[in-house]
Amino acid sequence: MNQPGVYTKKGRNSQQRRFRYTTLRFIILFCAFLIIAINPCINYYLHNSFVQGWYQSFGIGSLWFVSPLEGLESLLITKTVYMPSIIGMVLPLLLVLLLGRVFCSWICPVTFILEITDRLRRAVSRKKYLRNRLIVVKKVLWFTLLAEILISMIIGAPLFVFLSPPGLVGREMMMLVFFHTLAIEGVLLLVIITLELVTRRFFCRSFCPLGALLALLGSKRKLLVVVESTQCVDCGACEQTCPMGLVPQMGEGITAYCWNCGECLDSCRTGALRFSWNTKYQ
Amino acid sequence: MTGLSPHQAGARFLESPVTKNRLRPPGAVPEEIFPAKCIRCGRCVEVCPYRSIIMLDIRAGIHAGTPLVQVENIPCYLCMKCVDVCPTGSLLRVSQESTRMGLAIIDQFSCAAWQNTALCRTCYDKCPFPEKAIRLDQLKPVILPDHCTGCGLCTNACPVTLANGNKAINIEPLYARDKVTV
């Protein structure tokens, strides 16, 4: 069983019908996008408000979710505790503490739009992977979060909430259905989509404060991408496919910057990469 | 709302959009704290069955994404659905009677009843709390501030529209200017 050749062969043979995280993730992203696209229509045309909101605050009946960054900013700026808001943050927090930044890679509507952009680009350019032309040091992410929270506290209004790209998608949908217009701040989305033609997930990597907060909270997560160094053949496929510009083969799947999308697992021909539950120890 | 004078343009970024006939939904905390508390999730906008609540965009500066009721377009019918869905406590749970979105003020110089040009009592007829929030004093409408909720039904119905867009009865968001003690 430990012969590398056996693994390679087995890996190649089973690749055709192998379970792909990318497919599953795309389906989930699509459903998550569909929810915020259809919801305003149901709210508006059918006057049914059972499921409501988008990923800033999402309500299913009496079960409310509040986005952790928005909730935190509201808490910090008003300096008062409002329990429904705190309780709404519990489930998202549990998700991020256990699974890490999966909201970003599996649910976020901006990721969905960027996936579509990526697929369209591939269809046009025939180049499978985009060369990342614009690279910023990964640590910028933390400064974004810090700056975001400080500026919000100075101006006395949560800054991210009205310029939040994940929330912005939902807001634009709602504006379109309810008022048959679009909010001007939507140009930010166009900027992000344009940047996707230069560098993959440029905004998500370094400038999304929500992503930064989720990365920070998920830095001690249970679900990790680990590399089995005995099976790794150093082909570099995972490095090329990683939308976050990480090098999973060097064990970067356990850093705070990894968002557990599973693209590297799909790209790995030898099966050296896998999801692991809390076996971090290098 | 009116012309942009230079000194206004800079201040607009921080200026509250709440002015005459431009109100927050029921139960709103004072403006001093509202932009801080509201996470712009838009759920009050989505739940409002009368489409009274609109959502501001980036032109409102830091107030972008916050809800606003423009009473002369669509007033608030006090169904209180928005206060039930607010996840942040920006809209606190209040009853219909204790809602204070503002206070109706009659402009006696343009009101047809006060000017004796017509026997108009539209505001009195439309008020959800007649004889409590508004009554007729010798056929002239008078507001009783203790019970007026500021819902704007009277403003919306008022047949008199002035050149500047105001009605003969307008809602002043007095309570929005309260100070908060945290």
Side-chain angles (χ1 to χ4, degrees):
Chain A
M1 276 302 279
N2 276 329
Q3 294 163 333
V6 175
Y7 272 95
T8 314
K9 193 162 178 273
K10 190 181 163 196
R12 276 198 186 129
N13 283 346
S14 58
Q15 187 152 39
Q16 302 304 318
R17 51 186 188 279
R18 199 172 70 180
F19 166 77
R20 283 174 61 82
Y21 284 105
T22 311
T23 318
L24 179 68
R25 192 165 60 91
F26 191 74
I27 294 168
I28 292 178
L29 277 172
F30 179 69
C31 293
F33 186 80
L34 211 59
I35 288 171
I36 59 165
I38 290 180
N39 245 339
C41 303
I42 295 175
N43 291 165
Y44 186 78
Y45 294 109
L46 306 179
H47 282 270
N48 184 328
S49 300
F50 186 73
V51 182
Q52 224 218 338
W54 54 83
Y55 301 120
Q56 269 167 304
S57 173
F58 191 71
I60 306 169
S62 298
L63 174 66
W64 293 353
F65 300 101
V66 175
S67 161
L69 183 66
E70 273 84 336
L72 176 72
E73 285 186 356
S74 180
L75 186 81
L76 286 177
I77 297 166
T78 59
K79 300 160 189 91
T80 46
V81 176
Y82 185 70
M83 278 321 275
S85 171
I86 303 287
I87 289 165
M89 283 154 68
V90 167
L91 283 178
L93 279 179
L94 274 180
L95 183 77
V96 66
L97 288 176
L98 292 176
L99 304 181
R101 204 180 152 181
V102 285
F103 171 82
C104 297
S105 54
W106 291 70
I107 300 171
C108 178
V110 173
T111 298
F112 177 73
I113 292 172
L114 295 185
E115 286 275 325
I116 298 278
T117 318
D118 214 28
R119 271 153 214 252
L120 287 177
R121 181 190 56 77
R122 255 182 248 171
V124 175
S125 81
R126 290 178 186 283
K127 260 176 78 181
K128 197 168 179 206
Y129 299 113
L130 186 76
R131 201 164 65 85
N132 296 318
R133 290 185 180 84
L134 198 59
I135 294 174
V136 179
V137 184
K138 288 195 218 59
K139 284 194 184 107
V140 169
L141 192 65
W142 312 123
F143 291 104
T144 308
L145 179 63
L146 199 66
E148 150 75 19
I149 288 177
L150 283 180
I151 296 171
S152 298
M153 289 182 78
I154 290 167
I155 64 171
L159 192 65
F160 186 60
V161 301
F162 57 84
L163 290 174
S164 128
L168 212 48
V169 181
R171 181 179 309 164
E172 295 288 0
M173 305 267 204
M174 187 277 278
M175 288 290 248
L176 194 63
V177 174
F178 276 66
F179 306 110
H180 311 296
T181 175
L182 288 171
I184 304 167
E185 54 264 37
V187 289
L188 195 66
L189 287 173
L190 296 180
V191 172
I192 292 170
I193 292 171
T194 315
L195 280 171
E196 186 65 10
L197 301 175
V198 182
T199 298
R200 294 182 73 197
R201 311 292 185 274
F202 179 74
F203 183 81
C204 309
R205 281 185 198 184
S206 324
F207 295 103
C208 184
L210 177 63
L213 182 73
L214 296 183
L216 186 69
L217 291 169
S219 55
K220 296 270 181 282
R221 64 186 177 275
K222 297 283 178 193
L223 187 70
L224 301 160
V225 174
V226 293
V227 54
E228 208 76 59
S229 44
T230 48
Q231 290 165 35
C232 179
V233 293
D234 286 328
C235 64
C238 52
E239 188 185 337
Q240 223 176 11
T241 195
C242 180
M244 298 303 276
L246 302 174
V247 191
Q249 78 197 55
M250 302 293 281
E252 285 197 330
I254 60 168
T255 59
Y257 303 107
C258 173
W259 64 6
N260 281 344
C261 64
E263 291 231 0
C264 53
L265 276 74
D266 289 341
S267 76
C268 187
R269 292 191 204 98
T270 60
L273 290 165
R274 59 184 172 83
F275 276 129
S276 161
W277 194 256
N278 196 22
T279 49
K280 187 169 179 174
Y281 314 99
Q282 292 85 343
Chain B
M1 250 92 330
T2 51
L4 262 177
S5 65
H7 74 277
Q8 263 185 335
R12 277 172 81 93
F13 179 69
L14 296 169
E15 200 184 317
S16 168
V18 175
T19 53
K20 183 181 280 191
N21 295 341
R22 300 280 183 280
L23 315 167
R24 294 295 187 198
V29 295
E31 271 305 288
E32 189 191 23
I33 205 169
F34 193 91
K37 244 180 153 43
C38 174
I39 63 165
R40 282 81 167 164
C41 66
R43 288 178 59 187
C44 50
V45 184
E46 286 188 325
V47 85
C48 181
Y50 302 96
R51 315 296 173 216
S52 311
I53 308 177
I54 62 151
M55 194 178 215
L56 296 169
D57 64 18
I58 196 70
R59 284 172 292 183
I62 63 163
H63 298 268
T66 54
L68 198 69
V69 180
Q70 300 179 320
V71 289
E72 78 272 32
N73 296 337
I74 308 174
C76 173
Y77 292 85
L78 298 174
C79 71
M80 313 316 278
K81 282 193 173 170
C82 50
V83 301
D84 286 341
V85 296
C86 180
T88 57
S90 309
L91 309 178
L92 295 168
R93 297 187 165 207
V94 288
S95 63
Q96 284 185 323
E97 301 82 51
S98 51
T99 300
R100 292 291 178 272
M101 297 167 67
L103 179 66
I105 308 282
I106 296 171
D107 176 6
Q108 296 181 356
F109 300 102
S110 46
C111 173
W114 278 91
Q115 291 294 313
N116 289 322
T117 50
L119 271 177
C120 176
R121 42 180 266 179
T122 313
C123 49
Y124 177 81
D125 289 337
K126 289 287 177 180
C127 182
F129 304 104
E131 292 303 327
K132 272 187 180 165
I134 190 166
R135 63 181 171 81
L136 293 176
D137 184 9
Q138 296 177 349
L139 298 177
K140 294 178 177 65
V142 177
I143 304 295
L144 304 171
D146 286 349
H147 289 93
C148 175
T149 59
C151 64
L153 282 165
C154 50
T155 305
N156 184 259
C158 180
V160 180
T161 306
L162 305 182
N164 61 6
N166 288 344
K167 298 293 191 100
I169 182 165
N170 299 293
I171 311 293
E172 286 293 344
L174 296 182
Y175 312 100
R177 292 163 199 154
D178 282 351
K179 287 286 172 188
V180 189
T181 45
V182 177

